[in-house]
């Protein structure tokens, strides 16, 4: 019987387009992107790396609240988002703020989300997304619903969600992919396998050899992708999107990636569970370095261009954090007001009580 | 006697019982090598090995079910839910299954599970990390719900919880983990589950509280004393079942009561305490029993947290109202 497992596992070899040296290793699957689009992808990755560095610094200064670092995961996060259309629906996890930002959430609102302010959850009208989910797995089942809704409405759009390697152990993960499969719903499920769920390594998370192979049990397509290779992630997502809107059902995409930083900025110490050697090994696969090499070899990227992105990012971040700082503070009366569409009696009374308290 | 923080007292209790009873198993997300996200299980895997103290995959429903199954094999599982807000993932295992194991098996089996989880506001956590959800489990017959307010109580109550043959939810208020130290004997001792503690004696008014609110109640009592109001503060310690005797005894003496909880007002533990008092001691009351609670909204993190959480001023206000009724 071991044969069955081995034959399943052998179908899930990592898909790659650009190798660690920035060379195309898979010409056939090279996505059809213009030079401008390739540069835009690079711009987004560099910008997002700076945003991560600044967010960590701002968090340390006490100007941000909850923050889950993203450095290392840019190719996985932005390569996938780049393949989406504006009308697709995004259901991110807590680490997936970059996708929201590039889908159109203003930076100052992302900062407000970090501070726990509900205006950070209020998506602009053309951004079809929920704010980042804290409960691991919840976004997976909801995605099946959004995708089924799209199908019932005859839309040519997809629902896209993300979880981590740890997230694949949740019951909701299985229910989400299984439901979407059963309905042939246009959903794309990402597993960003960054090898650790806080401190627990993926080998201890599950005895499965790949996470992509979990798709087999749900009867849906699955693939493992080099998550440090932005072109591979983009190509696979584009493919998944096309399949989905053509009625071929959902897809599970495992991206092999790494978070360089701590799990979150709330007291996690990665030296307790990761070695320097492992960190070094992954830094050699850095998505930005390899894509830079590729673009430079192609003669379409330069140091000046990159510096400009860095400066622009810093400037934007400075403005956005100021805007977030100056935004009116969230009040208890705001919360009372948004619990129900119409205030029930208990909350009407409490509204008065807290108005008075807040006026003191 | 040693001076310990509450988190150290908890580690100490776990270590004591892992040593005492080889059937005790400690597990949950990140509890092994990492020692838990709050370090409550720090060093225990090194000392007792990976078979006794281990990381689980990330799945609360799995953790709850595993506990029930291990219980059926004669183990005494001590499972951790990393933050109590994640309890919804395993509600069926707790309220739907552990609590009725004795019934379902015709008393052949029980669920000697201890569920540990951090909860509580005031520490600026993100969504669903701070919520006071004890009322959800307290409503379930078959479950015991324990919430210590001091390091001393934490150790004694946790030892009792692990030794108890019924399932016990043991909630640890995050704000109390490291905010102060208290005397905790190195040797083992237990505190009966279901017994409240009079944390301060007084004759004018009874303040019933639990968890972090005990400390707010004690501060309020100190302030009230300056105005010659002598408050008795009762720490429930176990919110299910409730030690109604200790409360009634106090009410008969003070004739005035304020019940305090950090949780939202609707339903919940305080409402139950009020109902019990009026059923059993209405003729001893000189004023209605008032509650101090959070408002009926989701937990307000960040900016609004401090004003959302009940505090000693709210308690003083309500005490003055019942005294001057
Ligand atoms: C239901 C639930 N259980 C536990 C947690 C606590 N928690 C937050 S992140 C995390 C690890 C997640 O790891 P993974 O899914 O691999 O994602 P990563 O953060 O590595 O991207 C845990 C246990 C949670 N947020 N929700």
């Amino acid at each position: 019987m071991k044969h069955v497992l081995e034959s399943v596992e052998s179908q899930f070899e990592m898909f790659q387009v650009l190798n660690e040296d920035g060379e195309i290793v898979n010409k056939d699957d090279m996505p059809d992107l213009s030079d401008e689009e390739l540069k835009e992808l690079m711009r987004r990755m560099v910008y997002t790396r700076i945003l991560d560095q600044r967010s960590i610094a701002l968090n340390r200064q006490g100007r941000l609240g909850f923050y889950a670092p993203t450095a290392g995961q840019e190719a996985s996060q932005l390569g996938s988002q780049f393949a989406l259309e504006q009308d697709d629906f995004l259901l991110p996890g807590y680490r997936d703020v970059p996708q929201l930002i590039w889908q159109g959430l203003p930076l100052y609102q992302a900062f407000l989300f970090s501070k726990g302010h509900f205006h950070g959850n209020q998506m602009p009208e053309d951004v079809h997304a929920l704010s980042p989910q804290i409960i691991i797995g919840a976004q997976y089942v909801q995605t099946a619903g959004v995708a089924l809704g799209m199908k019932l409405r005859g839309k040519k759009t997809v629902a896209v969600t993300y979880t981590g390697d740890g997230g694949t152990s949740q019951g909701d993960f299985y229910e989400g992919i299984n439901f979407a499969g059963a309905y042939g719903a246009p959903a794309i499920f990402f597993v960003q396998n960054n090898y650790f769920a806080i401190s627990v390594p993926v080998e201890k998370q599950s005895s499965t050899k790949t996470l992509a192979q979990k798709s087999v049990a749900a009867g849906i397509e699955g693939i493992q992708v080099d998550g440090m290779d932005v072109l591979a992630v983009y190509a696979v997502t584009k493919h998944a999107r096309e399949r989905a809107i053509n009625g071929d059902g959902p897809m599970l995409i495992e991206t092999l990636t790494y978070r360089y930083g701590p799990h979150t900025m709330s007291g996690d110490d990665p030296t307790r569970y990761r070695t320097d050697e492992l960190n070094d090994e992954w830094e050699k696969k850095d998505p930005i370095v390899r894509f830079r090499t590729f673009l430079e070899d192609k003669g379409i990227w330069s140091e000046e261009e990159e510096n400009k992105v860095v400066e622009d990012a810093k400037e934007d971040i400075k403005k956005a954090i100021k805007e977030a700082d100056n935004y009116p503070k969230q009040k208890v009366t705001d919360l009372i007001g948004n619990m129900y569409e119409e205030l029930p009696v208990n909350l009407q009374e409490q509204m008065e009580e807290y108005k008075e308290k807040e006026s003191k | 006697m040693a001076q310990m923080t509450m988190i150290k007292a908890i580690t100490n209790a776990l270590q004591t019982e892992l040593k005492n009873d080889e059937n005790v198993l400690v597990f949950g997300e990140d509890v092994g090598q990492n020692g838990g996200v709050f370090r409550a299980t720090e060093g225990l895997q090194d000392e007792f090995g990976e078979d006794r103290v281990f990381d689980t995959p990330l799945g609360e429903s799995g953790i709850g079910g595993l506990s029930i199954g291990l219980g059926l094999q004669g183990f005494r599982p001590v499972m951790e839910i990393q933050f109590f807000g994640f309890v919804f993932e395993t509600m069926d295992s707790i309220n739907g299954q552990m609590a009725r194991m004795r019934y379902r098996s015709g008393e052949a089996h029980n669920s000697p599970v201890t569920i540990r989880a951090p909860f509580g506001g005031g520490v600026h956590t993100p969504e669903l990390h701070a919520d006071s959800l004890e009322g959800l489990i307290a409503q379930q017959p078959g479950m015991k719900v324990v919430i210590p307010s001091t390091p001393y109580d934490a150790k004694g109550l946790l030892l009792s919880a692990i030794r108890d043959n019924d399932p016990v939810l043991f909630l640890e208020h995050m704000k109390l983990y490291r905010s102060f130290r208290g005397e905790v004997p190195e040797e083992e001792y237990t505190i009966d589950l279901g017994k409240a503690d009079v944390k301060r004696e007084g004759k004018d008014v009874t303040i019933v509280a639990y968890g972090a609110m005990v400390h707010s109640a004690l501060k309020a009592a100190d302030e009230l004393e300056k105005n010659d109001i002598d408050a008795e503060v009762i720490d429930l310690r176990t919110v299910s079942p409730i030690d109604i005797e200790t409360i009634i005894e106090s009410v008969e003496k003070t004739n005035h009561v304020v019940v305090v909880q950090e949780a939202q007002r609707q339903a919940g533990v305080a409402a139950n305490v009020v109902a019990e008092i009026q059923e059993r001691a209405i003729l001893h009351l000189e004023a209605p029993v008032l509650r101090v609670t959070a408002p009926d909204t989701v937990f307000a993190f960040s900016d609004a947290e401090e004003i959302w959480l009940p505090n000693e001023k709210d308690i003083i206000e309500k005490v003055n109202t019942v005294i001057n009724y």
Side-chain angles (χ1 to χ4, degrees):
Chain A
M1 290 311 268
K2 200 155 171 273
H3 273 52
V4 177
L5 192 55
E6 276 169 7
S7 74
V8 167
E9 280 166 354
S10 66
Q11 297 163 35
F12 293 92
E13 295 215 328
M14 185 181 80
F15 173 79
Q16 192 178 52
V17 173
L18 197 64
N19 71 11
E20 288 176 33
D21 300 323
E23 299 156 357
I24 300 291
V25 289
N26 184 354
K27 270 209 189 71
D28 294 347
D29 287 301
M30 175 69 196
D32 184 21
L33 289 169
S34 68
D35 285 358
E36 261 324 299
E37 286 170 320
L38 290 171
K39 287 170 68 169
E40 177 61 18
L41 258 180
M42 181 63 177
R43 214 176 74 76
R44 291 184 182 193
M45 286 206 288
V46 172
Y47 190 111
T48 304
R49 179 71 58 90
I50 298 299
L51 175 61
D52 184 62
Q53 288 166 0
R54 295 296 307 140
S55 298
I56 288 171
L58 288 165
N59 174 285
R60 292 203 172 114
Q61 294 163 22
R63 291 178 78 184
L64 284 185
F66 171 76
Y67 184 68
T70 60
Q73 299 196 192
E74 292 89 352
S76 169
Q77 297 182 318
L78 304 179
S80 55
Q81 187 278 329
F82 201 63
L84 305 184
E85 299 294 331
Q86 195 59 44
D87 282 341
D88 292 339
F89 201 107
L90 206 55
L91 295 96
Y94 50 82
R95 204 183 300 285
D96 303 310
V97 176
Q99 293 95 306
L100 278 176
I101 290 170
W102 292 109
Q103 197 72 7
L105 177 69
L107 208 45
Y108 85 96
Q109 283 189 271
F111 289 150
L112 284 174
F113 160 77
S114 162
K115 288 159 164 269
H117 195 301
F118 77 84
H119 181 51
N121 302 347
Q122 294 177 315
M123 296 294 144
E125 216 171 297
D126 64 338
V127 178
H128 309 288
L130 291 185
S131 68
Q133 178 59 250
I134 296 292
I135 295 300
I136 292 169
Q139 70 275 33
Y140 254 60
V141 268
Q142 293 168 16
T143 296
V146 174
L148 175 59
M150 287 170 166
K151 185 175 162 170
L152 293 175
R153 295 253 181 256
K155 291 183 182 170
K156 290 284 176 205
T157 52
V158 294
V160 182
T161 192
Y162 296 84
T163 192
D165 36 306
T168 65
S169 298
Q170 281 285 6
D172 279 356
F173 167 86
Y174 297 97
E175 294 181 35
I177 60 175
N178 189 60
F179 270 53
Y183 294 124
I188 306 180
F189 296 100
F190 278 96
V191 174
Q192 299 192 71
N193 180 356
N194 63 16
Y195 288 79
F196 288 90
I198 308 188
S199 69
V200 180
V202 68
E203 309 83 62
K204 288 199 175 168
Q205 194 63 241
S206 173
S207 69
T208 194
K209 206 170 143 199
T210 70
L211 299 172
Q213 78 198 58
K214 298 196 176 207
S215 59
V216 174
I220 69 173
E221 283 293 324
I223 187 171
Q224 187 185 68
V225 189
D226 183 345
M228 305 303 256
D229 170 2
V230 71
L231 294 177
V233 177
Y234 172 81
V236 165
T237 312
K238 190 94 184 150
H239 168 74
R241 191 178 184 283
E242 268 156 31
R243 284 183 77 254
I245 60 174
N246 288 331
D248 294 332
M251 197 160 161
L252 180 70
I253 301 172
E254 175 190 9
T255 63
L256 299 180
T257 180
Y258 201 70
R259 67 166 150 86
Y260 296 153
H263 168 69
T264 68
M265 295 304 291
S266 322
D268 178 48
D269 173 10
T271 63
R272 291 174 76 94
Y273 54 85
R274 287 194 319 211
T275 59
D276 286 344
E277 293 81 72
L278 188 64
N279 291 335
D280 293 347
E281 196 185 301
W282 277 94
E283 279 188 27
K284 280 190 206 121
K285 302 184 197 214
D286 191 285
I288 294 180
V289 174
R290 99 169 58 166
F291 198 50
R292 182 190 294 133
T293 309
F294 168 73
L295 294 181
E296 281 174 354
D297 288 351
K298 226 171 138 52
I300 58 172
W301 192 254
S302 65
E303 204 179 320
E304 297 82 77
E305 228 158 332
E306 189 157 327
N307 289 340
K308 171 101 176 50
V309 178
V310 171
E311 289 318 309
D312 286 352
K314 285 184 179 163
E315 198 54 38
D316 288 357
I317 293 162
K318 212 189 278 170
K319 269 196 215 129
I321 189 71
K322 217 179 224 168
E323 198 173 348
D325 283 344
N326 292 334
Y327 198 82
K329 281 200 185 323
Q330 177 167 295
K331 295 188 296 204
V332 172
T333 44
D334 294 330
L335 279 166
I336 291 174
N338 70 25
M339 285 317 300
Y340 296 93
E341 196 137 329
E342 271 176 49
L343 277 192
V345 182
N346 58 326
L347 285 176
Q348 282 173 23
E349 281 178 14
Q350 290 168 21
M351 183 67 104
E352 294 313 311
E353 194 185 318
Y354 282 86
K355 260 187 198 157
E356 202 190 306
K357 267 194 178 176
E358 284 169 353
S359 69
K360 279 178 197 161
Chain B
M1 226 188 284
Q3 287 282 322
M4 286 186 202
T5 56
M6 187 149 122
I7 194 103
K8 275 276 174 279
I10 288 165
T11 313
N12 185 284
L14 292 170
Q15 184 190 31
T16 302
E17 216 41 16
L18 279 159
K19 243 187 238 161
N20 272 341
D21 183 350
E22 59 182 20
N23 290 311
V24 171
L25 304 176
V26 172
F27 53 88
E29 293 157 12
D30 302 284
V31 305
Q33 189 182 346
N34 205 36
V37 293
F38 289 100
R39 311 285 177 252
T41 52
E42 176 140 49
L44 298 180
Q45 187 174 70
D46 283 345
E47 188 174 347
F48 298 99
E50 276 195 56
D51 284 346
R52 307 274 316 278
V53 179
F54 55 90
D55 288 326
T56 62
L58 202 175
E60 292 75 16
S61 173
I63 296 170
L66 194 77
S67 299
I68 293 171
L70 287 166
L72 292 173
Q73 285 294 312
F75 288 98
R76 306 192 80 80
V78 183
M79 64 177 256
E80 180 178 298
I81 298 177
Q82 199 161 72
F83 287 87
F84 195 50
F86 313 153
V87 73
F88 297 107
E89 311 300 304
T90 187
M91 263 322 250
D92 180 54
S93 281
I94 299 173
N95 278 11
Q97 305 294 330
M98 285 177 198
R100 54 200 296 127
M101 183 56 84
R102 283 175 60 73
Y103 159 77
R104 287 193 68 220
S105 66
E107 298 179 8
H109 300 294
N110 50 24
S111 282
V113 179
T114 301
I115 305 161
R116 289 185 42 247
F119 82 115
V123 292
H124 300 286
T125 49
E127 260 192 295
L128 281 157
H129 281 67
D131 303 55
S132 290
L133 304 170
E134 66 277 7
L136 295 179
I137 318 283
Q139 201 195 11
Q140 179 61 52
M143 291 298 305
K144 294 182 182 174
V145 182
V146 174
I147 305 179
S149 69
T150 65
Y152 179 89
D153 286 359
K155 178 172 174 181
L157 290 166
L158 184 52
L159 285 174
S160 293
I162 300 173
R163 292 174 190 180
D164 200 287
N165 283 332
D166 292 316
V168 180
L169 172 66
F170 188 88
L171 289 175
E172 303 162 8
H173 200 290
M174 285 185 271
K175 205 166 176 180
L176 303 184
Y177 266 155
R178 293 190 163 84
S179 54
F180 66 100
R181 283 164 200 278
E183 304 235 305
V184 178
E186 282 289 351
E187 61 273 20
E188 57 184 87
Y189 61 96
T190 56
I191 295 172
D192 288 349
L193 305 185
K195 283 300 287 175
D197 186 35
V198 179
K199 286 274 192 278
R200 181 190 201 278
E201 289 192 21
K203 57 180 177 22
D204 297 330
V205 59
T206 302
I207 307 175
V208 180
Y210 58 93
M213 285 299 127
V214 171
H215 299 275
S216 304
L218 288 168
K219 273 191 212 149
D222 286 345
E223 282 301 308
L224 288 162
E225 195 175 8
K226 294 179 191 160
N227 292 323
D228 289 327
I229 298 172
D230 187 14
E232 177 145 307
V233 175
I234 296 181
D235 178 357
L236 284 179
R237 295 200 295 203
T238 301
V239 302
S240 174
I242 287 173
D243 178 3
I244 198 67
E245 268 175 38
T246 301
I247 298 170
I248 298 297
E249 215 171 279
S250 176
V251 174
E252 287 174 356
K253 177 171 63 170
T254 65
N255 315 111
H256 299 90
V257 196
V258 170
V259 186
V260 189
Q261 70 180 14
E262 185 176 315
Q264 293 88 337
R265 191 177 193 79
Q266 58 188 46
V269 171
N272 187 29
V273 172
V274 176
E276 293 283 353
I277 293 170
Q278 74 84 21
E279 278 185 20
R280 293 162 195 261
I282 194 153
L283 295 180
H284 291 279
L285 291 173
E286 286 174 16
V289 181
L290 296 186
R291 279 175 293 167
V292 175
T293 71
D296 293 320
T297 74
V298 292
F299 186 87
F301 41 104
S302 191
D303 288 348
E305 199 168 324
E306 295 311 326
I307 190 153
W308 190 89
L309 288 165
N311 60 31
E312 59 261 31
K313 276 202 198 116
D314 302 323
I315 300 172
I316 291 168
E317 202 183 300
K318 290 282 154 98
V319 167
N320 283 325
T321 310
V322 296
I323 293 279
N324 301 319
Y325 185 75

